Amino acid sequence: MSATIAVAPGLAAAGLSKSVPSLSQELVGEVLRGLTRRGQKTLPASWLYDAIGSALFEVITLLPEYGLTRADAGLLERKADEIVAAGSPGAIVELGSGSGTKTRFLLEAAVRQQSPTSLGYFPIDISSAALESCAKVLAAIEDVAIQPIEASYLEGIRAAVSRRRGRERLMLLFLGSTIGNLSPAEAAGFLRAIRRLLQPGDTMLIGADLVKPEARLLRAYDDPTGVTAAFNLNLLGRINRELGGDFCLARFRHEASWNPKRSRVEMHLRSLEAQRVRIAAFDLEIAFRAEETIWTESSYKFEAGEIPALAARAGWHTVSQWIDYDWGFAETLLAVPRIAKHG
Ligand code: AVI
């Protein structure tokens, strides 16, 4: 998967050289700003998903300690017919192209319930490789017209909307609790922006991981096999590979902690000693104190009722919710109401 999260603009002020043309300049700017800020150092979570990071994330989804993806897929498999009946989509638009496994249940249910016309499926991703592999996995489903869109989420939704056939309804999929990697303010802004691009009756299915005991969460984000640690440390490896950094990965440790006040798991990389790291692309040396951390990701966990409340603040109406109580995961189907109360 590749998470596309809005990044802060403007590189000129940061004085970045043009030596990294293949990378998103906005993202590179975020790396620079995050590592040079005065207080808590940060790296953008979207930087986790290069080819190596995406492959490590696929392995995370197989770990016995990380039940999130299995709970999401299991719920979709069991409830696909109900979900599709509640949204009656003529086309399905997926934010992130995923591995295809989860989407298959919904596409097959939609085809079963569909009139003779074929079902449109628009996976949206910034990675062409991810789109290609998703199209390959799902190609065998009959009566589905797969139309990949290589774009950011909002741009991609605009493109899918422009290809709407007549008055057909769109169903957007935002699965895997990717919403949990946004802050509450970002999530509300994102849901509002999406709602404004759609028509009354269009729907959106959101998968969200629920709050669970701390020990269970920490095992999921700091697994004994060390896959999540490798996923997190790969951020530094990526800076070395793509920006000419000289991070020594053994001098940093992966950490996951639960912040109960904010209801989020935080991933950090802790510097094990005082050290200086050079990044050639920025022509810069960055100093780390012993024990200082780089905050790399937040993964918010929700109470089931929080998703409808968040959606209502963004002008959506909740149609229905399905919950897996074993792991703690919710699928919530939202719809664009006839008259939105919130701009
Ligand atoms: C993609 N996202 C929902 C994952 C999560 O659980 O927040 C990313 C992840 N980070 C560590 N493990 C998995």
Side-chain angles (χ1 to χ4, degrees):
M1 82 140 271
S2 53
T4 317
I5 293 166
V7 289
L11 268 185
L16 186 81
S17 77
K18 291 210 162 48
S19 58
V20 283
S22 61
L23 297 169
S24 149
Q25 295 286 289
E26 282 181 20
L27 196 52
V28 173
E30 254 208 309
V31 171
L32 174 60
R33 277 191 296 278
L35 290 179
T36 52
R37 63 169 50 115
R38 267 167 196 260
Q40 171 70 62
K41 289 186 171 64
T42 59
L43 280 170
S46 51
W47 190 258
L48 287 162
Y49 298 95
D50 65 343
I52 295 175
S54 300
L56 287 168
F57 178 68
E58 285 304 315
V59 181
I60 288 175
T61 67
L62 303 175
L63 292 170
E65 295 83 9
Y66 189 83
L68 189 159
T69 312
R70 278 184 299 281
D72 192 10
L75 256 181
L76 295 178
E77 183 171 19
R78 294 192 298 280
K79 303 296 180 185
D81 284 311
E82 277 179 42
I83 292 169
V84 167
S88 25
I92 291 185
V93 180
E94 184 162 15
L95 309 187
S97 50
S99 68
T101 324
K102 289 182 267 181
T103 318
R104 169 183 298 276
F105 302 126
L106 293 165
L107 292 179
E108 287 175 345
V111 168
R112 279 196 295 276
Q113 293 177 27
Q114 181 87 356
S115 54
T117 52
S118 78
L119 180 87
Y121 170 56
F122 301 94
I124 301 173
D125 210 299
I126 44 164
S127 154
S128 57
L131 286 168
E132 264 169 43
S133 84
C134 148
K136 238 186 243 165
V137 171
L138 298 171
I141 309 178
E142 269 176 45
D143 293 325
V144 175
I146 305 180
Q147 299 166 65
I149 300 176
E150 192 178 330
S152 69
Y153 291 158
L154 292 179
E155 260 175 66
I157 295 168
R158 252 180 234 114
V161 164
S162 73
R163 296 189 215 165
R164 185 197 297 269
R165 296 168 297 191
R167 303 181 61 161
E168 75 182 2
R169 287 181 173 178
L170 302 183
M171 180 185 277
L172 270 59
L173 309 179
F174 195 33
L175 305 176
S177 204
T178 303
I179 193 163
N181 298 130
L182 301 175
S183 72
E186 285 169 333
F190 185 54
L191 293 185
R192 191 172 302 114
I194 293 176
R195 198 255 302 145
R196 287 187 180 135
L197 296 176
L198 301 176
Q199 283 182 4
D202 288 339
T203 57
M204 176 157 176
L205 185 70
I206 297 190
D209 201 23
L210 302 182
V211 174
K212 44 190 65 67
E214 179 172 350
R216 202 169 193 199
L217 283 169
L218 296 185
R219 271 198 305 279
Y221 288 85
D222 193 5
D223 62 277
T225 317
V227 184
T228 311
F231 175 65
N232 198 8
L233 283 161
N234 176 56
L235 276 170
L236 306 184
R238 183 171 182 189
I239 293 174
N240 289 352
R241 292 188 295 275
E242 298 187 29
L243 299 175
D246 68 356
F247 277 102
C248 172
L249 274 57
R251 293 198 188 132
F252 287 84
R253 185 178 62 226
H254 161 71
E255 279 184 12
S257 58
W258 170 241
N259 180 334
K261 215 166 138 205
R262 304 269 182 214
S263 195
R264 67 187 180 211
V265 176
E266 295 177 8
M267 288 206 317
H268 286 253
L269 290 167
R270 186 175 293 278
S271 174
L272 298 177
E273 56 195 75
Q275 54 182 314
R276 301 183 78 80
V277 175
R278 199 178 142 65
I279 301 182
F282 300 149
D283 195 15
L284 195 73
E285 220 175 55
I286 296 160
F288 288 89
R289 285 174 276 111
E291 300 299 326
E292 183 176 5
T293 72
I294 312 173
W295 185 2
T296 55
E297 187 192 59
S298 294
S299 194
Y300 285 82
K301 305 299 166 189
F302 304 88
E303 300 296 344
E306 281 181 292
I307 298 295
L310 172 71
R313 286 199 294 282
W316 290 84
H317 154 77
T318 295
V319 178
S320 200
Q321 189 174 60
W322 296 266
I323 297 179
D324 173 296
Y325 290 99
D326 287 342
W327 171 259
F329 196 91
E331 309 287 356
T332 310
L333 187 68
L334 311 175
V336 179
R338 295 238 152 261
I339 301 160
K341 287 188 206 132
H342 304 266

